[in-house]
Amino acid sequence: MTSSNRTRLRARLLAGTAACLMATGVARAVHAQQTEDSAVEEVVVTGFRNSLAQALNVKRQSAAAVDAIYAEDMAKFPDLNLSESIQRIPGVAISRDAGEGRQISVRGLGGQFTRVRINGMEALTTSGGTDASGGTNRSRSFDFNVFASDLFNRITVQKTASAETEEGSLGATVDLNTAHPFDKPGFNFAVSGKMGYNDQAEKASPRVAALISNTWRDDTIGALFSVAYSKRNLLDQGASTVRWQTGTATAPGFRSVRGVTCATNAAACAEANAAVHPRIPRFDWYKTQQDRLGATGALQWRPTDKTNVSFDMLYANFKGERNEDFLETFTPQTAGACTATSPVTCGINQVDILDYTIATPRANFPVMTKGTFNNIDLKTEQRHDKLKTEFRQFTLAGDHEFTDKFRAKGVLGFSKSTFSNPVQNTVQWDQYNVQGYTWDYSRGDTYPVITYGNGDLKNADAWTLAEIRMAQGFVDNSYKTAQFDLAYDLSEAFKLKGGLAYKAYQVESAAFSRTNGTSANINPISSAELRGIARSSYAETIDFTKSLGLPSGNAGSWITPDLNKALGALKMDDPNYGKAVTTTPGTVWISPFATTCFTSGCGIYNLGREASLGSNYTIDEWDTTGYVQGDFNFDVAGVPVRGDIGARYVQTRQKALGYGVVPSTVNGVNYQTISATTATRSYNDFLPALNLVVEPSQDLLLRFGAAKVMSRPNLGSLTPGVNIGTGSNKTVTSGNPFLDPFRAKTVDAAIEWYFQPQALLSAAFFYKDISTFVQSYTSPLSTFDQNPFGLPDSAAVAACGTTPGCSPSLPVWQFSTSVNTPGGPLKGFELNYQQPFTFLPAPFDKFGFLGNYTYVKSEVTYLSSTGAITAVGPLTNLSKNSYNATLYYETPKLSSRISAAYRSKYLTQIPGRNGSDVEGTKGTLNFDASVTYNWSKNLAFTFEAVNLTNEVQDQYYDSSQLVSFYHETGREFFLGFRYTY
């Protein structure tokens, strides 16, 4: 579907849905108005409007800049997904994976700068996504899609720092709170059920949730239990290129251009080789099934009116299976000169360009938008993943009033998030030297046209087994927390607070892949026995026509490996298949990992850590903090002034363990030693903070905040190991355990006008001077000897193994590491408007609106690993413009709303890879709608529509915005009920 057609569809759907909601609401309101008598009716605020009123009250009363979201009722959150709800808060934008919100950014700062607390203690959940959405989360960013929203009853987002709030955030501190029995004393029960349908997957998806609670002994003892379960079926499909690059970058480039041989006439080929072309032009088909289970438990005890004790338990189990199918070619990104003895898959140097078209979207940046080629090697592959995140948290909290002026509270907690990807299998077939292959990307921001010449896409036995990849990945995050706070009221105008906290955090990451005991890539298959197995015995056909607006000329289906059948057919389920002793003449491998490959032998499907060293690490972090804070509340010349002032002192100690290969030569014998490296460090921070609220009139608030803040580096940046990757990208990656944290000075100011009950008009301004920044630097393509880590070429030779186009002498290597840079300023403003239209005549007085707009701008200096300035630009993941808007209608019988959420394009890589200046993701505009009809006091029926316009996920390469990833996931509709007692 073209951008213009999609825009028209958005407008029609929004207008149609809004009209339906309004018509339904107005019709019912008119009927009610016609039948009601003249008696004055008491106004009782319930449902969505009540949740807005509670949130507005929290914002107004807080000394810090806080926004909140409340559940409409027990186990009834306003949205299906936590991050979808949070994005309604000013300054919050979300990034999506598999069609639903996964992570958030606040005021332009991504998920790694946001700390998340659950029931008062910091926690971290990580999951696995597609490669385009970041793959396995090994960062500090919180994955909100692990939890069902029904488990929570309140979310608060604190955007300014205070001394009593835990450090670690540059963007915001997000508090997720589950329900407690004392929230609503007495017996309570709620159950809901929904059946969803995705119009692209054409599958149904159930959701159920229940909550039960009770209190006893005059409401001094209470217990609560809730559970939520959902199943989701998704079809995520589109096209991708895995970036673009020049023919020159894949040296020595194309073999001939329009009949002229490049080796004898380089000038005739110069234009084609200088232009960027798609590295891996392909169509993608992802089929996903997810199961999400969550449960909460809470016990509360109030032995006296001055003492409260609570014990909370939270459990989540988010698992899924995903098939990824691709029809593609790797030939345009495979380097290396082709000779008479080269393998049939030698790469771009075997390709003859019959014709091509060049466009120049920006100066000195030619793009090969169309081309016809001979000797292209096609690939079809299927990847199967099993994914699971399990989360457990236990929190014991209590508070006690010793006197009317002296109070204490404390928290003890433990949480653990365990992510496992125990199955990640890929089978790849090749079809060699296809003639007349074409691509056409001239249509711009939409699907390309790719034709496959004399290639046979239907016959499985026309393909050759080329590669089998098998991998596993695991990430465990755990927190142990202890906190104790005291408060003393020196006077009615001033309260003194202080506290100590200790937090022990550990992340363990493990990755396994096929290995023969060395770090070599052994995924290419040369076994005649395996290659001789009929591909038709383990094949299936992909139908690529569902819902996509593909231009004519594209293939509607293709044959692909079926991994369910391949497990048995290719003996992938037999770890001893092909067992042999690994021999490396002239080289001795030494490894700390248990392996039998060099002694009794190992099978060809043996899995080990050796080829994935960079993803095997352990990081321990111990944080010890103390704070003092004064809360004040007094009048100055009759004007109320309140707020807090204080400081927090933080000591951070870190210990990082990683692995790398250390080559050496002793007495003429070459050794490749896999060794562990451990690095320790500590640093201290003094973090003063001030929040000030002035109320010059009853409904007008002026806010000011200032603080020093810090955020610790991403976890993957701290590992001391070095990893050499020899897949489609030739990469060398190393962490830096001696990184300083992100540090900044912040200033905030706001004006809030509460001009009628449940209404607000506000403007907030913020400025952050980021003095210390952590940047992930990726070098331009070069030969291996240019690596900044001092690795010899022998390390690349060992890692390449028999992989085509992989050699230390080829300019195909990119080197990545993390470095501290000076940072730069970030500034912006938020506008917020919220109002129920009670001033309008019936039936329009039942309508209401809330909306906000955020503008953010930043300028950060990006450096190379040597300290040279490579670029000056905005922070990654920062959208300059974002807005949210909700129009709602609510009566005691009917509640309906339609919402829009927009974030402008944002950059994901500066400088970009493969010769680009930047990489990024285009803006998104999502529409959702919901209707609730209250059949009775206890029973309601619901309808919800998500992603009404089938918004695409559109990632781009370079500021000229060449397509890198273009996918759609379809619309989802839910019909359900809710019963409360």
Side-chain angles (χ1 to χ4, degrees):
M1 183 179 293
T2 64
S3 297
S4 59
N5 288 338
R6 193 176 294 277
T7 301
R8 287 195 292 270
L9 177 60
R10 282 177 182 158
R12 292 171 183 167
L13 276 173
L14 177 59
T17 305
C20 289
L21 294 177
M22 289 181 180
T24 303
V26 171
R28 292 195 59 83
V30 169
H31 176 73
Q33 186 72 17
Q34 290 172 344
T35 57
E36 70 179 4
D37 57 27
S38 59
V40 177
E41 184 179 356
E42 180 183 359
V43 177
V44 179
V45 181
T46 60
F48 182 66
R49 186 176 290 189
N50 180 53
S51 72
L52 296 179
Q54 292 183 76
L56 212 58
N57 185 58
V58 169
K59 180 180 181 68
R60 185 170 185 171
Q61 298 302 319
S62 174
V66 169
D67 288 285
I69 300 172
Y70 275 73
E72 298 176 41
D73 201 347
M74 294 180 301
K76 185 178 186 295
F77 222 68
D79 298 275
L80 297 173
N81 178 286
L82 283 177
S83 58
E84 306 281 350
S85 286
I86 298 173
Q87 74 172 337
R88 292 196 283 108
I89 288 175
V92 176
I94 68 174
S95 58
R96 289 179 168 83
D97 176 43
E100 65 177 358
R102 181 180 180 185
Q103 297 177 356
I104 69 170
S105 64
V106 182
R107 291 180 167 178
L109 292 163
Q112 72 183 80
F113 301 107
T114 299
R115 296 281 66 77
V116 177
R117 301 187 299 192
I118 301 176
N119 292 329
M121 70 165 288
E122 185 172 354
L124 177 63
T125 58
T126 61
S127 62
T130 63
D131 289 344
S133 63
T136 298
N137 180 3
R138 289 186 167 90
S139 72
R140 295 184 190 267
S141 299
F142 191 96
D143 285 341
F144 289 87
N145 56 344
V146 169
F147 296 107
S149 61
D150 307 273
L151 300 176
F152 299 89
N153 72 342
R154 185 174 78 254
I155 298 175
T156 59
V157 178
Q158 182 176 331
K159 300 175 187 175
T160 60
S162 59
E164 66 180 335
T165 303
E166 286 181 72
E167 77 291 340
S169 166
L170 257 63
T173 297
V174 177
D175 279 291
L176 308 178
N177 295 277
T178 59
H180 292 88
F182 288 173
D183 294 342
K184 192 175 182 181
F187 178 77
N188 297 282
F189 175 74
V191 62
S192 64
K194 300 174 185 176
M195 185 60 72
Y197 178 80
N198 183 286
D199 67 349
Q200 185 159 285
E202 298 180 352
K203 295 272 188 161
S205 301
R207 300 173 66 103
V208 293
L211 179 148
I212 186 169
S213 71
N214 203 358
T215 56
W216 303 272
R217 295 189 178 182
D218 297 325
D219 298 330
T220 60
I221 296 177
L224 178 147
F225 176 76
S226 71
V227 63
Y229 171 78
S230 65
K231 180 184 286 288
R232 187 165 181 256
N233 294 284
L234 186 76
L235 183 58
D236 181 352
Q237 53 187 345
S240 59
T241 61
V242 199
R243 303 181 303 280
W244 297 53
Q245 69 183 29
T246 65
T248 305
T250 43
F254 296 103
R255 180 169 69 178
S256 71
V257 175
R258 292 172 177 160
V260 179
T261 302
C262 299
T264 59
N265 191 343
C269 303
E271 182 183 54
N273 275 322
V276 296
H277 60 258
R279 295 178 65 247
I280 307 178
R282 66 186 186 184
F283 286 109
D284 320 329
W285 195 85
Y286 303 163
K287 189 176 182 180
T288 302
Q289 178 180 301
Q290 296 173 338
D291 291 89
R292 185 185 286 111
L293 173 67
T296 73
L299 300 174
Q300 287 187 295
W301 179 39
R302 186 182 294 128
T304 71
D305 60 354
K306 297 181 181 299
T307 305
N308 289 282
V309 180
S310 63
F311 179 69
D312 290 286
M313 299 165 286
L314 174 61
Y315 174 80
N317 189 321
F318 179 45
K319 62 183 180 180
E321 294 193 39
R322 182 178 64 244
N323 271 15
E324 300 181 17
D325 290 272
F326 303 97
L327 179 61
E328 61 197 348
T329 175
F330 279 20
T331 305
Q333 63 99 39
T334 304
C338 296
T339 66
T341 59
S342 296
V344 69
T345 58
C346 71
I348 195 172
N349 196 226
Q350 74 186 21
V351 176
D352 302 316
I353 301 181
L354 305 184
D355 199 11
Y356 67 92
T357 300
I358 298 291
T360 308
R362 66 178 177 91
N364 302 314
F365 195 75
V367 178
M368 188 181 293
T369 57
K370 299 173 66 174
T372 303
F373 311 89
N374 281 344
N375 300 325
I376 290 287
D377 300 330
L378 303 183
K379 288 184 181 288
T380 178
E381 68 172 283
Q382 183 174 98
R383 168 175 156 177
H384 178 69
D385 283 84
K386 289 185 178 180
L387 308 159
K388 180 179 179 180
T389 296
E390 201 166 18
F391 178 85
R392 294 178 177 87
Q393 178 173 305
F394 305 93
T395 309
L396 177 64
D399 60 79
H400 178 71
E401 290 187 20
F402 295 98
T403 69
D404 291 342
K405 295 184 177 182
F406 184 46
R407 299 171 300 282
K409 63 180 180 179
V411 176
L412 290 174
F414 170 79
S415 72
K416 186 169 186 177
S417 171
T418 302
F419 168 75
S420 60
N421 186 185
V423 175
Q424 187 187 104
N425 296 336
T426 304
V427 173
Q428 190 178 85
W429 294 343
D430 281 4
Q431 194 171 143
Y432 304 121
N433 296 323
V434 167
Q435 310 297 299
Y437 172 93
T438 72
W439 73 56
D440 182 356
Y441 286 85
S442 62
R443 300 174 74 242
D445 184 19
T446 183
Y447 295 108
V449 177
I450 302 177
T451 65
Y452 300 91
N454 65 349
D456 190 344
L457 306 185
K458 308 289 187 181
N459 178 13
D461 291 323
W463 299 79
T464 299
L465 175 64
E467 190 166 313
I468 297 175
R469 298 192 292 272
M470 301 176 71
Q472 296 176 334
F474 306 90
V475 181
D476 292 352
N477 292 277
S478 64
Y479 282 93
K480 296 176 183 177
T481 299
Q483 184 169 330
F484 182 70
D485 302 89
L486 295 172
Y488 185 77
D489 300 347
L490 295 175
S491 67
E492 290 187 3
F494 191 81
K495 300 176 181 179
L496 184 64
K497 295 178 178 179
L500 299 172
Y502 174 78
K503 180 173 59 185
Y505 168 66
Q506 183 182 74
V507 57
E508 293 182 274
S509 174
F512 302 81
S513 56
R514 286 185 58 204
T515 178
N516 60 3
T518 75
S519 62
N521 179 359
I522 63 169
N523 293 324
I525 296 298
S526 58
S527 166
E529 179 182 351
L530 293 179
R531 285 189 155 199
I533 297 171
R535 270 67 66 206
S536 55
S537 67
Y538 59 100
E540 66 173 313
T541 298
I542 298 299
D543 179 4
F544 201 63
T545 59
K546 288 185 179 179
S547 306
L548 291 181
L550 288 178
S552 60
N554 280 301
S557 62
W558 72 84
I559 201 79
T560 190
D562 183 336
L563 273 164
N564 288 327
K565 299 175 182 177
L567 282 175
L570 300 177
K571 310 296 191 298
M572 295 170 66
D573 52 1
D574 180 2
N576 292 315
Y577 175 76
K579 186 174 182 179
V581 175
T582 300
T583 59
T584 54
T587 301
V588 176
W589 280 84
I590 301 175
S591 172
F593 309 123
T595 178
T596 61
C597 294
F598 299 107
T599 54
S600 58
C602 55
I604 68 169
Y605 299 125
N606 175 64
L607 298 181
R609 302 174 187 249
E610 291 84 0
S612 306
L613 294 178
S615 296
N616 288 274
Y617 57 82
T618 300
I619 298 173
D620 288 284
E621 189 173 270
W622 302 274
D623 307 327
T624 305
T625 62
Y627 78 92
V628 175
Q629 177 176 303
D631 295 352
F632 51 87
N633 189 347
F634 49 80
D635 289 355
V636 177
V639 176
V641 177
R642 57 187 170 90
D644 58 66
I645 185 171
R648 190 176 189 90
Y649 182 79
V650 185
Q651 181 191 66
T652 302
R653 294 179 294 130
Q654 293 172 335
K655 178 181 177 182
L657 180 147
Y659 298 91
V661 178
V662 180
S664 62
T665 302
V666 179
N667 297 327
V669 178
N670 296 319
Y671 289 89
Q672 298 283 341
T673 302
I674 299 175
S675 63
T677 301
T678 300
T680 61
R681 72 157 308 183
S682 65
Y683 49 87
N684 303 317
D685 287 275
F686 180 74
L687 307 173
L690 166 70
N691 288 289
L692 180 67
V693 182
V694 180
E695 301 184 39
S697 66
Q698 183 177 359
D699 297 321
L700 187 66
L701 270 65
L702 304 178
R703 293 186 183 273
F704 176 80
K708 289 180 67 175
V709 294
M710 59 86 77
S711 183
R712 298 176 179 92
N714 245 338
L715 303 169
S717 302
L718 296 174
T719 175
V722 177
N723 189 63
I724 302 176
T726 57
S728 60
N729 300 312
K730 310 300 182 289
T731 60
V732 183
T733 305
S734 175
N736 182 352
F738 301 105
L739 289 170
D740 287 327
F742 301 87
R743 292 188 173 104
K745 297 177 182 178
T746 69
V747 177
D748 293 77
I751 180 170
E752 299 170 3
W753 181 30
Y754 298 86
F755 57 91
Q756 74 173 55
Q758 305 169 44
L760 168 69
L761 182 63
S762 68
F765 306 88
F766 51 90
Y767 177 85
K768 300 178 189 292
D769 181 12
I770 304 174
S771 58
T772 306
F773 190 68
V774 179
Q775 175 202 335
S776 179
Y777 169 75
T778 300
S779 72
L781 293 170
S782 65
T783 54
F784 191 84
D785 61 0
Q786 299 300 306
N787 77 82
F789 312 120
L791 298 174
D793 284 359
S794 60
V797 172
C800 283
T802 59
T803 306
C806 185
S807 167
S809 62
L810 292 174
V812 296
W813 296 92
Q814 286 186 306
F815 310 105
S816 299
T817 190
S818 297
V819 295
N820 279 120
T821 62
L826 179 148
K827 54 188 175 182
F829 63 86
E830 297 170 352
L831 303 177
N832 190 13
Y833 166 61
Q834 178 176 326
Q835 185 178 18
F837 297 158
T838 52
F839 58 91
L840 293 176
F844 302 102
D845 59 339
K846 302 300 188 292
F847 282 94
F849 177 83
L850 61 150
N852 58 75
Y853 168 78
T854 303
Y855 174 84
V856 189
K857 182 180 181 181
S858 70
E859 188 173 276
V860 174
T861 300
Y862 292 89
L863 305 181
S864 71
S865 59
T866 61
I869 296 177
T870 59
V872 176
L875 283 167
T876 56
N877 299 309
L878 181 149
S879 291
K880 184 175 287 188
N881 301 282
S882 63
Y883 65 77
N884 296 277
T886 298
L887 176 67
Y888 65 89
Y889 175 86
E890 189 163 70
T891 70
K893 276 291 185 182
L894 183 72
S895 175
S896 59
R897 62 181 179 268
I898 183 167
S899 301
Y902 170 79
R903 70 176 300 185
S904 61
K905 67 179 181 180
Y906 56 94
L907 302 182
T908 54
Q909 188 85 24
I910 310 174
R913 293 164 291 180
N914 302 100
S916 65
D917 54 356
V918 297
E919 296 173 44
T921 297
K922 290 194 175 181
T924 57
L925 177 59
N926 289 77
F927 293 102
D928 304 322
S930 68
V931 178
T932 299
Y933 178 72
N934 296 309
W935 180 268
S936 66
K937 179 181 178 181
N938 305 104
L939 180 63
F941 296 99
T942 61
F943 172 76
E944 294 164 272
V946 180
N947 192 22
L948 280 167
T949 57
N950 189 20
E951 184 72 335
V952 298
Q953 184 181 357
D954 189 352
Q955 300 174 11
Y956 61 87
Y957 166 90
D958 194 74
S959 57
S960 55
Q961 298 192 6
L962 303 178
V963 173
S964 182
F965 183 86
Y966 189 89
H967 271 229
E968 53 190 274
T969 57
R971 305 167 186 86
E972 293 187 87
F973 305 93
F974 295 87
L975 188 63
F977 76 95
R978 174 178 170 77
Y979 178 81
T980 59
Y981 178 81

